[in-house]
């Protein structure tokens, strides 16, 4: 079992980016340009390293390898994005890896690209990349090529060596459990559970009861053996159940208009553990978007656009408008889910305004809304 934090350290120590490894300050999958860049690197790494895993490390400065971190990113639909645009797509996995010196809401992202014997290419165009484009790695760059792709196998020993030196140990596992229980979350009644005498999951959260149902909020859940953060959210609520063989997380989203909030199940994630030392994760989307009166939504939608226009002109807001601004991202999300096709793009366009607003809760609400929209559907 590979310790992902140790793997990232070993990748960063390996000279520079190559045909099996790339690093990024952050991913931007809100825009077609950002998606195109991400897909280009996936395509290039898959074609240039067909015999073993390739990796992208996210949350690292390019020039000096400084570990700066990025937001927790839920990968449950990212494979759909790759499948939608690439022919012969590789299997990929995005994992969130906590590092000791980062804030609790920041992680390092690790994209693992599985070996792929077939040539990947763009089945349809996106941004400035035309259909049928093929990319490979040349040094630290992903570049387009024409004709046949030369397959490289000389990295196999190097990659296997890096992975073998990143294997987990009892010491790493114990250190991880002690750090989680006694230091990072000692004020949140942390818990742990051992599965199959091998896997250790730690979790912590604040209990609260809403209409006879008990949720955990401000939840942090980690698979300690691999140093992978399974779930993190500063706003959403979850329920946790487990038995001897599995651990299940159901995520709920608080949504509503005019200060009337209800809790809607978003996604069910179950980890199944096996006696042979393996585990798998099953995900099931549960979300059924709430439906609201369209005439009322039309009025609310226009009010939110007027609020954004006022914010853009740097005009002072009333106390009511300040409260509405905190709810604006989730309100525009509700509008999008109820057939207001422009609402999602209006929200994306407002990112810089919301990010620069003095109250951090406003930008946090934006990130949560975009996370939910990304989970519900990758529409390219």
């Amino acid at each position: 079992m590979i310790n992902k934090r140790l793997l990232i350290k070993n990748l960063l120590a390996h000279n520079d980016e190559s045909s099996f490894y790339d690093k990024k300050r952050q991913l931007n999958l809100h825009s077609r340009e950002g998606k195109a860049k991400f897909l280009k690197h996936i395509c290039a790494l898959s074609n240039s390293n067909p015999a073993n895993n390739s990796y992208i490390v996210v949350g690292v400065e390019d020039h000096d390898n400084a570990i700066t971190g990025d937001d927790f990113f839920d990968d449950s639909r990212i494979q759909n994005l790759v499948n939608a645009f690439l022919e012969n797509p590789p299997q990929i996995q995005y994992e969130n890896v906590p590092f000791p010196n980062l804030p609790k809401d920041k992680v390092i992202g690790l994209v693992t690209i599985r070996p792929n014997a077939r040539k990947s290419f763009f089945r349809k165009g996106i941004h400035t990349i035309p259909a049928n484009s093929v990319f490979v790695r040349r040094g630290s760059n992903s570049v387009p090529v024409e004709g046949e792709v030369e397959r490289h196998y000389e990295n196999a020993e190097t990659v296997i060596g890096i992975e073998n030196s990143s294997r987990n140990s009892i010491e790493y596992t114990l250190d991880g459990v002690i750090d989680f229980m006694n230091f990072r979350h000692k004020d949140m009644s942390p818990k742990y559970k051992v599965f199959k005498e091998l896997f250790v999951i730690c979790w912590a959260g604040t209990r609260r009861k809403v209409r006879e149902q008990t949720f955990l909020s401000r939840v942090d859940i980690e698979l300690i053996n691999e140093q992978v953060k399974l779930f993190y959210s500063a706003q959403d609520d979850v329920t946790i159940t487990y038995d001897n063989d599995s651990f299940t997380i159901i995520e709920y989203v608080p949504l509503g208009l005019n200060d009337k909030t209800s809790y809607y199940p978003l996604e069910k994630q179950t980890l199944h553990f096996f006696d042979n030392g393996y585990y798998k994760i099953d995900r099931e989307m549960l979300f059924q978007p709430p439906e609201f009166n369209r005439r009322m939504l039309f009025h609310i939608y226009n009010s939110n656009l007027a609020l954004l226009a006022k914010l853009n002109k740097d005009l002072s807001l009333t106390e009511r408008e300040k409260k509405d601004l905190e709810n604006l991202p989730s309100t525009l999300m509700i509008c999008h889910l109820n057939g207001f096709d422009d609402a999602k793009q209006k929200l994306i366009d407002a990112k810089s305004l919301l990010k620069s607003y003095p109250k951090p809760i406003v930008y946090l609400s934006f990130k949560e809304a975009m996370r939910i929209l990304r989970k519900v559907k990758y529409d390219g």
Side-chain angles (χ1 to χ4, degrees), residues 350-377:
K351 177 182 177 180
S352 59
L353 284 174
L354 302 178
K355 188 174 184 178
S356 60
Y357 190 74
K359 293 185 69 173
I361 184 65
V362 172
Y363 185 55
L364 181 62
S365 297
F366 167 83
K367 291 194 292 184
E368 288 292 307
M370 292 307 304
R371 185 176 70 87
I372 295 166
L373 288 172
R374 188 171 60 241
K375 291 181 76 163
V376 171
K377 183 179 180 181

Side-chain angles (χ1 to χ4, degrees), residues 246-264:
S246 64
F247 185 91
T248 298
I249 309 159
I250 298 180
E251 178 184 359
Y252 291 79
V253 184
L255 291 175
L257 299 172
N258 299 325
D259 299 326
K260 295 179 180 179
T261 300
S262 297
Y263 287 78
Y264 298 86

Side-chain angles (χ1 to χ4, degrees), residues 3-11 165-167 172:
N3 183 307
K4 301 303 171 60
R5 184 189 298 169
L6 189 55
L7 174 62
I8 289 171
K9 290 181 178 179
N10 288 333
L11 286 169
S165 63
S166 306
R167 296 288 173 185
Y172 288 135

Side-chain angles (χ1 to χ4, degrees), residues 147-302:
E148 288 300 313
V149 174
E150 183 179 352
R151 314 292 272 175
H152 297 282
Y153 296 88
E154 68 271 14
N155 289 319
E157 283 191 19
T158 303
V159 176
I160 291 171
I162 290 173
E163 291 175 343
N164 285 340
S165 63
S166 306
R167 296 288 173 185
N168 199 35
S169 68
I170 294 176
E171 181 180 5
Y172 288 135
T173 301
L174 288 175
D175 286 346
V177 172
I178 291 170
D179 180 58
F180 190 99
M181 303 287 291
N182 294 344
F183 297 100
R184 284 190 286 142
H185 299 296
K186 63 181 180 180
D187 59 337
M188 297 176 68
S189 301
K191 294 180 172 57
Y192 75 91
K193 169 71 176 173
V194 180
F195 297 88
K196 302 299 182 181
E197 300 181 339
L198 178 63
F199 303 95
V200 184
I201 289 183
C202 289
W203 70 95
T206 301
R207 286 185 171 273
R208 63 173 178 163
K209 200 167 187 178
V210 180
R211 302 188 188 111
E212 305 305 317
Q213 187 165 6
T214 300
F215 297 100
L216 287 179
S217 61
R218 296 172 55 212
V219 177
D220 191 1
I221 307 172
E222 291 184 17
L223 178 59
I224 299 297
N225 307 69
E226 296 191 352
Q227 292 290 345
V228 169
K229 194 183 289 282
L230 297 171
F231 186 90
Y232 177 83
S233 174
Q235 289 189 317
D236 292 348
D237 297 87
V238 306
T239 59
I240 291 173
T241 56
Y242 55 88
D243 55 28
N244 289 332
D245 304 310
S246 64
F247 185 91
T248 298
I249 309 159
I250 298 180
E251 178 184 359
Y252 291 79
V253 184
L255 291 175
L257 299 172
N258 299 325
D259 299 326
K260 295 179 180 179
T261 300
S262 297
Y263 287 78
Y264 298 86
L266 177 62
E267 186 178 42
K268 179 180 179 180
Q269 181 179 174
T270 302
L271 285 83
H272 300 277
F273 301 98
F274 303 99
D275 291 324
N276 61 0
Y278 288 89
Y279 72 93
K280 71 171 184 176
I281 301 178
D282 288 333
R283 291 184 173 92
E284 179 185 356
M285 183 59 65
L286 305 175
F287 190 58
Q288 295 294 327
E291 296 182 4
F292 293 91
N293 179 277
R294 192 167 180 84
R295 180 176 296 180
M296 178 185 70
L297 272 185
F298 187 76
H299 171 73
I300 293 173
Y301 180 60
N302 285 331

